[in-house]
Amino acid sequence: MHRIIAAVLAAASLADAAGAQTAPSPGLPAATATSQTAPTFSLESALAAGGMPASSTSSANNNPARSTTATPSSSPPSLPSVAAATAGVGAATAARRVAGLRPNPELQAQVENIAGSGVYKGLRSSETTIGVALPLELGGKRSARVALATARLTRAQIQAEIARADLRLRITQLYIEAAAAERRAEVLAEQAGIAANAFRVSRERVTAGDVGPIEQQRADVLRINAQVAAESAARQAQAARINLATLLSAPVTGPLDRAWFERIDDYGPPRPVDVAATLALAAAEADVRTAGAQVRVARSLRVPDLTVSTFARRFKATNDTAAMVGISIPIPVFNNGSAFVAQSRSEQTVAVAQRNLAVVDTSQAIASAQTEVANAAATARAAGGAGLTAAQEAARIARVGYSAGKFDQIALLDAERTLSQTRQTYVDALAAYHDAQARLDRLTTPAPVNSGDNQ
């Protein structure tokens, strides 16, 4: 009789456990609990809140959100990193205007033969000279300066694109982290519910006299540990949301896009990437062009400039005037500019070497990211497909068998542990896949076209 009562109670507990796997658990974060009412906060929403157009990311284009997105009503201000890079472009633009300016003329005035003795006492024999001196730049200094300033402007524009791409990657990674933390919280909350039901089944079997009290104690320890893990995961999910909201300077409301997080694009063999067209190589090439322009400036400085002067002199004693013309040119005795040319050439050599190194590093990073994307996608498909189905079925059979007294508690715990590990492996693989895809998108971000020619 006791066994019949225990079997009935165990069946009821198992029904509760099955319901716990499909219904939201009360231990989930607040954002997940309100998923039925609040609109989905998608990756596109996060990028828009950070001032990043969603169409600029290939991952967003390949994975369009199917759910409602919470788009901000107005354009958000630039975040500090992008604002600083944009200010750098403004400074480089002003510097190029300055580089194109010619030297200012000088107004000169002299009074001679004053405050002396005899005929030179006072101003009776003074000579007043007033004139203008105009520096003339030779050797193409002005055009060399403009070329250097233009190269620096192009580099600043590329740096601004790098700042935007880095911010886009950071937002995407924080979104992935938050979405993964939310899914882990769901998984651990389900496991906490299953552990609670297993504890009730063990207590009922102990009451019926089918098993010893040790099974109840073991189930109670597992229930407590599962509850602690679920609460910790819920706090981590909430912290991930706070980190994302802090970066965006905007609230992250509603559930995250679960459909996007669990979607895996078809991924075949690694596709060839033109490294020369990437943003990283554009920055390295801009550094090489800047160094070359600096060499041109150094060479132009070796040519001395002329200063042409014209004066009008008035003689106080006779009240006569006379014109004066002068030319001055520095003599490059101690500094002929050769040291500056040598320094600029060495810096150009460094820039070329760093460009060549950037080609190798970028190619290797892209190949590694492509491999990580493919591996994570394969792991996620396996863990979330046949592997997860088999683990769920094994756990279901173990629960039924344990309630009927056919399996011992060790078999049940092993099946539950395998299911929990498979679910967490699936979530981790999804997070790794999206993170690798985001890093691959960042590495293959195209360079801006003619960024410095249209200013």
Side-chain angles (χ1 to χ4, degrees):
M1 184 65 180
H2 291 296
R3 294 187 178 182
I4 296 175
I5 295 175
V8 173
L9 293 176
S13 299
L14 290 173
D16 293 339
Q21 296 182 31
T22 57
S25 172
L28 292 179
T32 307
T34 59
S35 60
Q36 302 300 324
T37 58
T40 299
F41 190 85
S42 66
L43 176 59
E44 287 80 0
S45 300
L47 293 172
M52 301 288 104
S55 59
S56 62
T57 57
S58 60
S59 59
N61 290 336
N62 294 336
N63 299 305
R66 296 172 183 157
S67 55
T68 304
T69 59
T71 304
S73 58
S74 60
S75 299
S78 297
L79 296 180
S81 58
V82 176
T86 303
V89 173
T93 302
R96 193 173 75 165
R97 289 198 299 268
V98 172
L101 301 177
R102 299 181 184 276
N104 290 322
E106 295 181 4
L107 178 63
Q108 299 179 353
Q110 295 180 357
V111 180
E112 301 178 13
N113 302 331
I114 62 173
S117 60
V119 295
Y120 300 104
K121 186 177 181 179
L123 299 175
R124 288 180 297 178
S125 300
S126 64
E127 297 178 4
T128 303
T129 305
I130 299 177
V132 176
L134 179 63
L136 299 179
E137 292 184 312
L138 303 179
K141 291 183 178 63
R142 179 172 174 269
S143 60
R145 275 199 318 271
V146 171
L148 176 59
T150 300
R152 288 174 174 171
L153 172 59
T154 301
R155 183 62 177 87
Q157 292 171 331
I158 294 174
Q159 188 60 41
E161 292 298 324
I162 290 175
R164 295 186 185 95
D166 289 343
L167 177 60
R168 187 178 301 116
L169 173 62
R170 188 177 177 189
I171 292 174
T172 303
Q173 288 180 325
L174 284 179
Y175 187 91
I176 294 169
E177 181 181 345
E182 190 174 87
R183 289 291 291 116
R184 292 189 188 98
E186 293 177 6
V187 169
L188 292 177
E190 291 176 2
Q191 291 303 121
I194 293 173
N197 286 319
F199 169 71
R200 286 194 292 270
V201 171
S202 299
R203 183 176 55 191
E204 291 157 3
R205 294 190 66 186
V206 170
T207 302
D210 293 339
V211 295
I214 186 63
E215 289 201 6
Q216 180 180 343
Q217 296 299 324
R218 186 187 295 119
D220 193 23
V221 171
L222 295 175
R223 176 187 64 82
I224 294 173
N225 291 338
Q227 185 62 36
V228 170
E231 293 174 355
S232 176
R235 287 190 293 269
Q236 290 177 356
Q238 190 64 27
R241 280 176 167 268
I242 293 174
N243 290 337
L244 179 60
T246 301
L247 177 63
L248 300 178
S249 298
V252 178
T253 59
L256 302 182
D257 193 350
R258 178 169 176 169
W260 171 84
F261 183 71
E262 294 184 352
R263 186 161 50 247
I264 301 175
D265 294 334
D266 293 333
Y267 198 89
R271 63 183 186 275
V273 177
D274 184 11
V275 178
T278 61
L279 193 57
L281 262 295
E285 289 290 352
D287 290 337
V288 172
R289 289 192 294 269
T290 301
Q294 183 64 56
V295 172
R296 179 181 171 185
V297 170
R299 288 173 176 171
S300 69
L301 293 177
R302 298 197 65 185
V303 180
D305 295 335
L306 292 178
T307 300
V308 179
S309 306
T310 177
F311 302 92
R313 172 168 291 184
R314 178 178 178 274
F315 300 90
K316 181 72 172 180
T318 62
N319 202 26
D320 292 328
T321 58
M324 298 176 58
V325 177
I327 296 177
S328 64
I329 181 171
I331 301 175
V333 176
F334 302 108
N335 182 10
N336 60 6
S338 59
F340 188 29
V341 172
Q343 175 188 350
S344 300
R345 285 177 175 171
S346 297
E347 292 174 351
Q348 184 183 33
T349 302
V350 172
V352 172
Q354 290 178 342
R355 187 270 313 276
N356 296 336
L357 180 61
V359 173
V360 176
D361 290 345
T362 304
S363 300
Q364 292 177 344
I366 290 175
S368 297
Q370 288 177 332
T371 302
E372 291 179 19
V373 169
N375 291 341
T379 302
R381 289 193 183 101
L388 182 58
T389 301
Q392 289 174 334
E393 180 63 17
R396 185 192 67 82
I397 294 173
R399 294 181 200 126
V400 174
Y402 177 71
S403 64
K406 296 181 179 180
F407 296 148
D408 58 14
Q409 192 180 42
I410 300 300
L412 174 63
L413 296 178
D414 184 66
E416 296 290 2
R417 186 183 304 108
T418 300
L419 176 58
S420 178
Q421 291 175 349
T422 303
R423 285 174 170 172
Q424 295 189 51
T425 299
Y426 177 48
V427 174
D428 293 342
L430 287 173
Y433 164 75
H434 287 295
D435 183 78
Q437 184 64 59
R439 287 186 285 108
L440 179 60
D441 293 340
R442 167 62 183 87
L443 290 169
T444 56
T445 300
V449 180
N450 298 327
S451 56
D453 298 337
N454 53 1
Q455 297 295 327

